[in-house]
Amino acid sequence: MPEVNKEYRVVKDVSTSISEITDGIYRISGFVKEFGITFNQFLINDEKPTLIHTGPIGMYQEVEARVKEVIPLDKLSYVSFLHFESDEWGGMEFLNAPGVKLLCSDLSSKLNLTGWSGMRADHISFWDNETLKTGKKTLRFIMTPHVHHWDSMMVFEETTKSLFPSDLFIQPGVNKPVESTDLSESMIGLYRGAGIFASETPVRQTTKRLAKLNPEMVFPMHGSCIGKDMFPKYVDALMKQEFAYSGLLLGQKLEVG
Ligand SMILES: [Fe+2]
Ligand SMILES: [Fe+2]
């Protein structure tokens, strides 16, 4: 394993825990105090086990240790990242596992994977509504451009009706694995302060589409998982409230014009 200079890691010394949320789907979560949110990775343990995002490089050893509580690393078949950002797939060492394949959106492939020096080039990319069987489970890939990155996609596991929306429906703070109270107001506050969406329009288009999938469980990358009873509150908040970028970036005011 190559040594990474720890001095340059923003995220470090994060401890993680693992919990099974639903039928072989595990949440690996650690609270990152620099950002005031949890960073969650999800392991879908099927015939071909799949890790949905990796966490940043500074969390790699912790996430790897939790994955190994469920499967040996050489059983890992797929690692999927949902947009190009270090918390999504900074843990690229997972690709050293023998036989593991990287899954990403068609846009991630064209924009990011094929243009960097030293980047491992082999991967499987998906366009809207394409599916992949991992054994008993089926992953459906949903293109969600500009929520919040150009290359963003989300994953819907069809047999358990599990939605992996990456940075949509996230909540700040130290969270339980599954939250049964409504945290949609703190979600909106987080979006306003962080400035991750340029406009409400693509977010609302995607939110409408996701609501029609009727997910049983939603697995945001930051915060708690959200069950189907509480999910409509988050949909409502996104449809009715303003949350687009208005000058704040990660809580810092940008004075322009
Ligand atoms: Fe992101
Ligand atoms: Fe994220």
Side-chain angles (χ1 to χ4, degrees), residues 168-247:
L168 199 55
F169 311 117
I170 66 177
Q171 319 108 53
V174 181
N175 324 93
K176 307 187 238 185
V178 181
E179 179 58 69
S180 51
T181 55
D182 177 10
L183 298 177
S184 61
E185 283 302 315
S186 44
M187 169 188 73
I188 295 290
L190 173 60
Y191 288 149
R192 286 179 183 151
I196 74 166
F197 300 123
S199 141
E200 280 95 3
T201 307
V203 178
R204 288 184 180 151
Q205 284 167 347
T206 289
T207 300
K208 268 193 229 170
R209 189 176 172 197
L210 299 175
K212 283 188 196 144
L213 296 171
N214 286 320
E216 283 287 322
M217 187 62 77
V218 179
F219 295 74
M221 189 183 180
H222 312 280
S224 296
C225 295
I226 304 164
K228 68 174 175 187
D229 296 343
M230 199 46 65
F231 183 52
K233 303 268 187 201
Y234 291 81
V235 171
D236 245 43
L238 291 172
M239 298 312 287
K240 292 179 182 156
Q241 298 196 49
E242 290 183 358
F243 52 84
Y245 167 71
S246 64

Coordinates of all heavy atoms in Angstrom, one line a residue, residues 168-247:
L168 N -27.7 14.5 -1.4 CA -29.0 15.0 -1.3 C -29.7 14.3 0.0 O -29.3 13.2 0.3 CB -29.9 14.6 -2.5 CG -31.2 15.3 -2.8 CD1 -30.9 16.8 -2.8 CD2 -31.8 14.9 -4.1
F169 N -30.5 15.1 0.7 CA -31.2 14.6 1.9 C -30.2 14.5 3.1 O -30.5 13.7 4.0 CB -31.9 13.3 1.7 CG -32.8 13.3 0.5 CD1 -32.6 12.4 -0.5 CD2 -33.9 14.2 0.4 CE1 -33.3 12.4 -1.7 CE2 -34.7 14.2 -0.8 CZ -34.4 13.3 -1.8
I170 N -29.1 15.2 3.1 CA -28.1 15.1 4.1 C -28.5 16.0 5.3 O -29.3 16.9 5.2 CB -26.7 15.5 3.7 CG1 -26.6 17.0 3.3 CG2 -26.3 14.6 2.5 CD1 -25.2 17.4 2.9
Q171 N -28.0 15.6 6.5 CA -28.2 16.4 7.7 C -26.9 16.5 8.5 O -26.1 15.7 8.5 CB -29.2 15.7 8.6 CG -30.4 15.0 8.0 CD -30.2 13.5 8.0 OE1 -30.0 12.9 9.1 NE2 -30.3 12.8 6.9
P172 N -26.7 17.7 9.2 CA -25.5 17.9 9.9 C -25.5 17.2 11.3 O -26.6 16.7 11.7 CB -25.5 19.4 10.2 CG -27.0 19.8 10.2 CD -27.7 18.8 9.3
G173 N -24.4 17.2 12.0 CA -24.3 16.7 13.3 C -23.9 15.3 13.5 O -23.7 14.6 12.5
V174 N -23.9 14.8 14.7 CA -23.6 13.4 15.0 C -25.0 12.7 15.0 O -25.9 13.1 15.7 CB -23.0 13.2 16.4 CG1 -22.7 11.8 16.7 CG2 -21.7 14.1 16.6
N175 N -25.1 11.7 14.1 CA -26.4 11.1 13.9 C -26.5 9.6 14.2 O -25.5 8.9 14.2 CB -26.8 11.3 12.4 CG -26.3 12.6 11.8 OD1 -25.2 12.6 11.3 ND2 -27.1 13.6 12.0
K176 N -27.7 9.2 14.5 CA -28.0 7.8 14.7 C -27.9 7.1 13.3 O -28.1 7.8 12.3 CB -29.4 7.6 15.2 CG -29.7 8.3 16.5 CD -31.0 7.8 17.0 CE -32.0 8.9 17.1 NZ -33.3 8.6 17.6
P177 N -27.8 5.8 13.3 CA -27.9 5.1 11.9 C -29.2 5.4 11.2 O -29.2 5.7 10.0 CB -27.8 3.6 12.3 CG -27.0 3.6 13.6 CD -27.4 4.8 14.3
V178 N -30.3 5.4 11.9 CA -31.6 5.7 11.3 C -32.3 6.7 12.2 O -32.4 6.5 13.4 CB -32.5 4.5 11.1 CG1 -33.8 4.9 10.4 CG2 -31.8 3.4 10.3
E179 N -32.8 7.8 11.6 CA -33.4 8.9 12.4 C -34.9 8.9 12.1 O -35.4 8.9 11.0 CB -32.8 10.2 12.0 CG -33.4 11.4 12.8 CD -33.3 11.3 14.3 OE1 -32.1 11.4 14.8 OE2 -34.3 11.1 14.9
S180 N -35.7 8.9 13.2 CA -37.1 8.9 13.0 C -37.8 10.2 13.3 O -39.0 10.4 13.2 CB -37.8 7.8 13.8 OG -37.4 7.9 15.1
T181 N -37.0 11.2 13.7 CA -37.5 12.6 13.8 C -37.2 13.4 12.5 O -36.3 13.0 11.8 CB -37.0 13.3 15.0 OG1 -35.6 13.3 15.0 CG2 -37.5 12.7 16.3
D182 N -37.9 14.4 12.3 CA -37.8 15.2 11.1 C -36.6 16.2 11.2 O -36.7 17.2 12.0 CB -39.1 16.0 10.8 CG -39.1 16.9 9.6 OD1 -38.1 16.8 8.9 OD2 -40.0 17.7 9.5
L183 N -35.6 16.0 10.4 CA -34.4 16.9 10.4 C -34.3 17.7 9.1 O -33.2 18.2 8.8 CB -33.1 16.1 10.6 CG -33.0 15.3 12.0 CD1 -31.7 14.5 12.0 CD2 -33.0 16.3 13.2
S184 N -35.4 17.8 8.4 CA -35.4 18.5 7.1 C -35.0 20.0 7.2 O -34.4 20.5 6.4 CB -36.7 18.3 6.4 OG -37.8 18.9 7.1
E185 N -35.4 20.6 8.4 CA -35.0 22.0 8.5 C -33.5 22.2 8.7 O -32.9 23.1 8.1 CB -35.7 22.6 9.8 CG -37.1 23.0 9.6 CD -37.4 23.9 8.5 OE1 -36.7 24.9 8.4 OE2 -38.4 23.7 7.7
S186 N -32.9 21.3 9.4 CA -31.4 21.4 9.5 C -30.7 21.0 8.2 O -29.7 21.5 7.9 CB -30.8 20.6 10.7 OG -31.4 19.3 10.8
M187 N -31.4 20.2 7.4 CA -30.9 19.9 6.0 C -30.8 21.2 5.2 O -29.8 21.5 4.6 CB -31.7 18.9 5.3 CG -31.5 18.7 3.8 SD -32.6 17.7 2.9 CE -34.1 18.7 2.9
I188 N -32.0 21.9 5.2 CA -32.1 23.2 4.4 C -31.0 24.2 4.9 O -30.3 24.8 4.2 CB -33.5 23.8 4.5 CG1 -34.5 22.8 3.9 CG2 -33.5 25.2 3.9 CD1 -34.4 22.7 2.4
G189 N -30.9 24.3 6.3 CA -29.9 25.2 6.9 C -28.5 24.8 6.4 O -27.6 25.7 6.1
L190 N -28.2 23.5 6.4 CA -26.9 23.1 5.9 C -26.6 23.5 4.5 O -25.5 24.0 4.1 CB -26.8 21.6 6.1 CG -25.5 20.8 5.6 CD1 -24.3 21.3 6.2 CD2 -25.7 19.3 5.8
Y191 N -27.6 23.3 3.6 CA -27.4 23.6 2.2 C -27.2 25.1 2.0 O -26.4 25.6 1.2 CB -28.6 23.2 1.4 CG -28.7 21.7 1.2 CD1 -29.9 21.0 1.1 CD2 -27.6 20.9 1.1 CE1 -30.0 19.6 0.9 CE2 -27.6 19.5 0.9 CZ -28.9 18.9 0.8 OH -28.9 17.6 0.6
R192 N -27.9 25.9 2.8 CA -27.8 27.4 2.7 C -26.4 27.8 3.1 O -25.8 28.7 2.5 CB -28.8 28.1 3.5 CG -30.2 28.1 2.9 CD -31.2 28.8 3.8 NE -32.6 28.6 3.3 CZ -33.7 28.6 4.0 NH1 -33.6 28.7 5.3 NH2 -34.9 28.5 3.4
G193 N -25.9 27.2 4.1 CA -24.6 27.6 4.7 C -23.4 27.1 3.8 O -22.4 27.7 3.7
A194 N -23.6 25.9 3.2 CA -22.5 25.3 2.5 C -22.5 25.7 1.0 O -21.4 25.7 0.4 CB -22.6 23.8 2.6
G195 N -23.6 26.1 0.5 CA -23.6 26.6 -0.9 C -23.3 25.5 -1.9 O -22.6 25.8 -2.9
I196 N -23.8 24.3 -1.8 CA -23.4 23.2 -2.7 C -24.3 23.2 -4.0 O -24.0 22.5 -4.9 CB -23.4 21.8 -2.0 CG1 -24.7 21.2 -1.8 CG2 -22.5 21.9 -0.8 CD1 -24.7 19.8 -1.4
F197 N -25.5 23.9 -4.0 CA -26.3 23.8 -5.1 C -26.4 25.2 -5.8 O -26.7 26.2 -5.1 CB -27.8 23.4 -4.8 CG -27.9 22.1 -4.1 CD1 -28.4 21.9 -2.9 CD2 -27.4 20.9 -4.8 CE1 -28.5 20.6 -2.3 CE2 -27.5 19.7 -4.2 CZ -28.1 19.5 -3.0
A198 N -26.1 25.3 -7.1 CA -26.1 26.6 -7.8 C -27.6 27.1 -7.9 O -27.8 28.3 -7.9 CB -25.5 26.5 -9.1
S199 N -28.5 26.2 -8.0 CA -29.9 26.5 -8.2 C -30.8 25.4 -7.7 O -30.4 24.3 -7.6 CB -30.1 26.7 -9.7 OG -31.4 26.3 -10.1
E200 N -32.0 25.8 -7.4 CA -33.0 24.8 -6.9 C -33.5 23.9 -8.0 O -33.9 22.8 -7.8 CB -34.2 25.5 -6.2 CG -34.0 26.0 -4.8 CD -33.6 27.4 -4.7 OE1 -33.6 28.1 -5.8 OE2 -33.3 27.9 -3.6
T201 N -33.5 24.4 -9.3 CA -34.2 23.7 -10.3 C -33.8 22.3 -10.6 O -34.6 21.4 -10.5 CB -34.1 24.5 -11.7 OG1 -34.5 25.9 -11.4 CG2 -34.9 24.0 -12.8
P202 N -32.5 22.0 -10.8 CA -32.1 20.6 -11.0 C -32.4 19.7 -9.8 O -32.7 18.5 -9.9 CB -30.7 20.6 -11.4 CG -30.2 21.9 -11.0 CD -31.3 22.8 -10.9
V203 N -32.2 20.3 -8.6 CA -32.5 19.5 -7.4 C -33.9 19.1 -7.3 O -34.3 18.0 -7.0 CB -32.1 20.4 -6.1 CG1 -32.3 19.6 -4.9 CG2 -30.6 20.8 -6.2
R204 N -34.8 20.1 -7.6 CA -36.3 19.7 -7.6 C -36.7 18.8 -8.6 O -37.5 17.9 -8.4 CB -37.1 21.0 -7.6 CG -36.9 21.8 -6.4 CD -37.8 23.1 -6.3 NE -37.6 23.8 -5.1 CZ -37.7 25.1 -4.9 NH1 -38.0 25.9 -5.9 NH2 -37.5 25.6 -3.7
Q205 N -36.1 18.9 -9.8 CA -36.4 17.9 -10.9 C -36.0 16.5 -10.4 O -36.8 15.5 -10.5 CB -35.6 18.2 -12.2 CG -36.2 19.4 -12.9 CD -35.3 19.9 -14.0 OE1 -34.1 19.6 -14.1 NE2 -35.8 20.7 -14.9
T206 N -34.9 16.4 -9.8 CA -34.4 15.1 -9.4 C -35.2 14.6 -8.2 O -35.6 13.4 -8.1 CB -32.9 15.2 -9.0 OG1 -32.1 15.3 -10.1 CG2 -32.4 14.0 -8.2
T207 N -35.5 15.5 -7.3 CA -36.3 15.1 -6.1 C -37.6 14.5 -6.5 O -38.1 13.5 -5.9 CB -36.5 16.3 -5.1 OG1 -35.2 16.8 -4.7 CG2 -37.3 16.0 -3.9
K208 N -38.3 15.2 -7.4 CA -39.6 14.6 -7.9 C -39.5 13.2 -8.4 O -40.3 12.3 -8.2 CB -40.1 15.5 -9.0 CG -41.0 16.6 -8.6 CD -41.7 17.2 -9.8 CE -41.6 18.7 -9.7 NZ -42.0 19.4 -10.9
R209 N -38.4 13.0 -9.2 CA -38.2 11.7 -9.8 C -37.9 10.7 -8.7 O -38.4 9.5 -8.8 CB -37.0 11.8 -10.8 CG -36.8 10.6 -11.6 CD -35.6 10.8 -12.6 NE -35.3 9.6 -13.2 CZ -34.2 9.3 -13.9 NH1 -33.3 10.2 -14.0 NH2 -34.1 8.1 -14.4
L210 N -37.1 11.0 -7.7 CA -36.8 10.1 -6.6 C -38.0 9.7 -5.8 O -38.1 8.6 -5.4 CB -35.7 10.7 -5.8 CG -34.3 11.0 -6.5 CD1 -33.4 11.7 -5.5 CD2 -33.7 9.7 -7.0
A211 N -38.8 10.7 -5.6 CA -40.1 10.5 -4.8 C -40.9 9.4 -5.4 O -41.6 8.6 -4.8 CB -40.8 11.8 -4.6
K212 N -40.9 9.4 -6.8 CA -41.8 8.4 -7.5 C -41.2 7.0 -7.3 O -42.0 6.1 -7.6 CB -41.8 8.8 -9.0 CG -42.7 9.9 -9.3 CD -42.9 10.1 -10.8 CE -43.5 11.5 -11.1 NZ -43.0 12.1 -12.3
L213 N -40.0 6.9 -6.9 CA -39.4 5.5 -6.7 C -39.9 4.9 -5.4 O -39.8 3.7 -5.2 CB -37.9 5.6 -6.7 CG -37.2 6.0 -7.9 CD1 -35.7 6.2 -7.6 CD2 -37.3 5.0 -9.0
N214 N -40.6 5.7 -4.6 CA -41.1 5.3 -3.3 C -40.0 4.5 -2.5 O -40.3 3.3 -2.1 CB -42.3 4.4 -3.4 CG -43.5 5.2 -3.8 OD1 -43.7 6.3 -3.2 ND2 -44.3 4.7 -4.7
P215 N -38.9 5.0 -2.2 CA -37.8 4.3 -1.5 C -38.3 3.8 -0.1 O -39.0 4.6 0.6 CB -36.6 5.2 -1.4 CG -37.2 6.6 -1.6 CD -38.4 6.4 -2.5
E216 N -37.9 2.6 0.3 CA -38.2 2.1 1.7 C -37.2 2.8 2.6 O -37.6 3.1 3.8 CB -38.0 0.6 1.7 CG -39.1 -0.2 1.2 CD -40.4 -0.2 2.0 OE1 -40.2 -0.2 3.3 OE2 -41.5 -0.2 1.5
M217 N -36.0 2.9 2.1 CA -35.0 3.6 3.0 C -34.0 4.4 2.1 O -33.7 4.0 1.0 CB -34.1 2.4 3.7 CG -33.1 2.9 4.7 SD -33.9 3.8 6.1 CE -34.5 2.4 7.1
V218 N -33.7 5.6 2.7 CA -32.8 6.5 2.0 C -31.5 6.5 2.7 O -31.5 6.6 4.0 CB -33.4 7.9 1.9 CG1 -32.5 8.9 1.1 CG2 -34.7 7.8 1.1
F219 N -30.3 6.4 2.0 CA -29.0 6.3 2.6 C -28.1 7.5 2.3 O -27.3 7.4 1.4 CB -28.3 5.0 2.2 CG -29.0 3.7 2.6 CD1 -30.2 3.3 1.9 CD2 -28.4 2.9 3.5 CE1 -30.8 2.1 2.3 CE2 -29.0 1.7 3.9 CZ -30.2 1.3 3.3
P220 N -28.4 8.7 2.9 CA -27.6 9.9 2.6 C -26.1 9.7 3.0 O -25.8 8.9 3.9 CB -28.2 11.0 3.4 CG -29.5 10.5 3.8 CD -29.4 9.0 3.9
M221 N -25.2 10.4 2.3 CA -23.8 10.2 2.6 C -23.4 10.9 3.9 O -22.4 10.6 4.4 CB -23.0 10.8 1.4 CG -21.5 10.5 1.6 SD -20.6 11.2 0.3 CE -19.0 10.6 0.9
H222 N -24.2 11.9 4.3 CA -23.9 12.6 5.5 C -25.2 12.7 6.3 O -26.3 13.1 5.8 CB -23.4 14.0 5.2 CG -22.4 14.1 4.2 ND1 -21.0 13.8 4.5 CD2 -22.4 14.3 2.9 CE1 -20.3 13.9 3.4 NE2 -21.1 14.2 2.4
G223 N -25.2 12.3 7.6 CA -26.4 12.2 8.4 C -26.9 10.8 8.6 O -26.3 9.8 8.3
S224 N -28.2 10.8 9.0 CA -28.8 9.5 9.3 C -29.5 9.0 8.1 O -29.9 9.7 7.2 CB -29.9 9.7 10.4 OG -29.4 10.0 11.6
C225 N -29.8 7.7 8.0 CA -30.7 7.1 7.0 C -32.1 7.5 7.4 O -32.5 7.8 8.5 CB -30.6 5.6 7.0 SG -28.9 5.0 6.5
I226 N -32.9 7.6 6.3 CA -34.3 8.1 6.4 C -35.3 7.1 5.9 O -35.2 6.6 4.8 CB -34.4 9.4 5.6 CG1 -33.4 10.5 6.0 CG2 -35.9 10.0 5.7 CD1 -33.2 11.6 5.0
G227 N -36.2 6.7 6.8 CA -37.2 5.7 6.4 C -38.3 6.3 5.6 O -38.4 7.5 5.5
K228 N -39.1 5.4 5.0 CA -40.2 5.9 4.1 C -41.2 6.8 4.7 O -41.8 7.7 4.0 CB -40.8 4.7 3.4 CG -41.7 3.9 4.2 CD -42.4 2.9 3.4 CE -43.2 1.9 4.3 NZ -43.8 0.8 3.6
D229 N -41.4 6.7 6.1 CA -42.4 7.5 6.7 C -41.9 9.0 6.8 O -42.8 9.9 6.8 CB -42.7 7.0 8.1 CG -43.3 5.6 8.1 OD1 -43.8 5.3 7.0 OD2 -43.3 4.9 9.1
M230 N -40.7 9.1 7.0 CA -40.1 10.5 7.2 C -39.7 11.1 5.9 O -39.6 12.4 5.8 CB -38.9 10.4 8.2 CG -38.5 11.6 8.8 SD -39.8 12.7 9.5 CE -40.5 11.6 10.8
F231 N -39.4 10.3 4.8 CA -38.9 10.8 3.6 C -39.7 12.0 3.0 O -39.1 13.0 2.5 CB -38.7 9.6 2.6 CG -38.1 10.0 1.3 CD1 -36.9 10.7 1.2 CD2 -38.7 9.7 0.1 CE1 -36.3 11.0 0.0 CE2 -38.1 10.0 -1.1 CZ -37.0 10.7 -1.2
P232 N -41.0 11.9 3.0 CA -41.8 13.0 2.4 C -41.5 14.3 3.0 O -41.7 15.4 2.3 CB -43.3 12.5 2.6 CG -43.2 11.1 2.7 CD -41.9 10.8 3.4
K233 N -41.1 14.4 4.2 CA -40.8 15.7 4.9 C -39.6 16.3 4.2 O -39.6 17.6 4.0 CB -40.5 15.5 6.4 CG -41.5 14.8 7.2 CD -42.4 15.8 7.8 CE -43.4 15.1 8.7 NZ -44.6 15.9 9.0
Y234 N -38.6 15.5 3.8 CA -37.4 16.0 3.2 C -37.8 16.5 1.7 O -37.3 17.5 1.3 CB -36.3 15.0 3.2 CG -35.8 14.7 4.6 CD1 -36.5 13.9 5.5 CD2 -34.6 15.3 5.0 CE1 -36.0 13.6 6.8 CE2 -34.1 15.1 6.3 CZ -34.9 14.2 7.2 OH -34.4 14.0 8.4
V235 N -38.6 15.7 1.1 CA -39.0 16.0 -0.3 C -39.7 17.4 -0.2 O -39.4 18.3 -1.0 CB -39.9 14.9 -0.8 CG1 -40.6 15.4 -2.2 CG2 -39.1 13.6 -1.0
D236 N -40.7 17.5 0.7 CA -41.4 18.7 0.8 C -40.5 20.0 1.1 O -40.7 21.0 0.5 CB -42.3 18.6 2.1 CG -43.8 18.6 1.7 OD1 -44.1 17.9 0.7 OD2 -44.5 19.3 2.4
A237 N -39.6 19.8 1.9 CA -38.7 20.9 2.3 C -37.9 21.4 1.0 O -37.8 22.6 0.8 CB -37.7 20.5 3.4
L238 N -37.5 20.4 0.2 CA -36.7 20.8 -1.0 C -37.6 21.4 -2.0 O -37.2 22.3 -2.8 CB -36.0 19.5 -1.6 CG -34.9 19.0 -0.7 CD1 -34.4 17.7 -1.3 CD2 -33.7 20.0 -0.6
M239 N -38.9 21.0 -2.1 CA -39.8 21.5 -3.1 C -40.2 22.9 -2.7 O -40.6 23.7 -3.6 CB -41.0 20.6 -3.3 CG -40.7 19.2 -3.8 SD -39.6 19.1 -5.2 CE -40.7 19.6 -6.5
K240 N -40.3 23.2 -1.4 CA -41.0 24.5 -1.0 C -40.0 25.6 -0.5 O -40.4 26.7 -0.5 CB -42.0 24.2 0.1 CG -43.2 23.4 -0.4 CD -44.2 23.1 0.7 CE -45.3 22.2 0.1 NZ -46.0 21.4 1.1
Q241 N -38.8 25.2 -0.1 CA -37.9 26.2 0.5 C -36.8 26.5 -0.4 O -36.5 25.8 -1.3 CB -37.4 25.6 1.8 CG -38.5 25.3 2.8 CD -37.9 25.2 4.2 OE1 -37.1 26.0 4.7 NE2 -38.3 24.1 4.9
E242 N -36.2 27.7 -0.1 CA -35.0 28.1 -0.9 C -33.8 27.7 -0.2 O -33.7 27.7 1.0 CB -35.0 29.6 -1.1 CG -36.1 30.2 -1.9 CD -36.1 31.7 -2.1 OE1 -35.2 32.3 -1.5 OE2 -36.9 32.2 -2.9
F243 N -32.9 27.2 -1.0 CA -31.6 26.6 -0.4 C -30.4 26.8 -1.3 O -29.3 26.3 -1.0 CB -31.8 25.2 0.0 CG -32.3 24.3 -1.2 CD1 -31.4 23.8 -2.1 CD2 -33.6 24.1 -1.3 CE1 -31.9 23.1 -3.2 CE2 -34.1 23.3 -2.4 CZ -33.2 22.8 -3.3
A244 N -30.6 27.5 -2.5 CA -29.5 27.6 -3.5 C -28.4 28.5 -2.9 O -28.6 29.3 -2.0 CB -30.0 28.1 -4.8
Y245 N -27.3 28.4 -3.5 CA -26.1 29.3 -3.2 C -26.5 30.7 -3.2 O -27.0 31.2 -4.2 CB -25.0 29.0 -4.2 CG -23.8 30.0 -4.1 CD1 -23.0 30.0 -3.0 CD2 -23.7 30.9 -5.1 CE1 -21.9 30.9 -3.0 CE2 -22.6 31.9 -5.1 CZ -21.8 31.8 -4.0 OH -20.8 32.7 -3.9
S246 N -26.1 31.4 -2.1 CA -26.4 32.9 -2.1 C -25.2 33.6 -1.5 O -25.4 34.6 -0.8 CB -27.7 33.2 -1.3 OG -27.5 32.8 0.0
G247 N -24.0 33.1 -1.7 CA -22.8 33.8 -1.2 C -22.0 33.1 -0.1 O -20.9 33.5 0.2

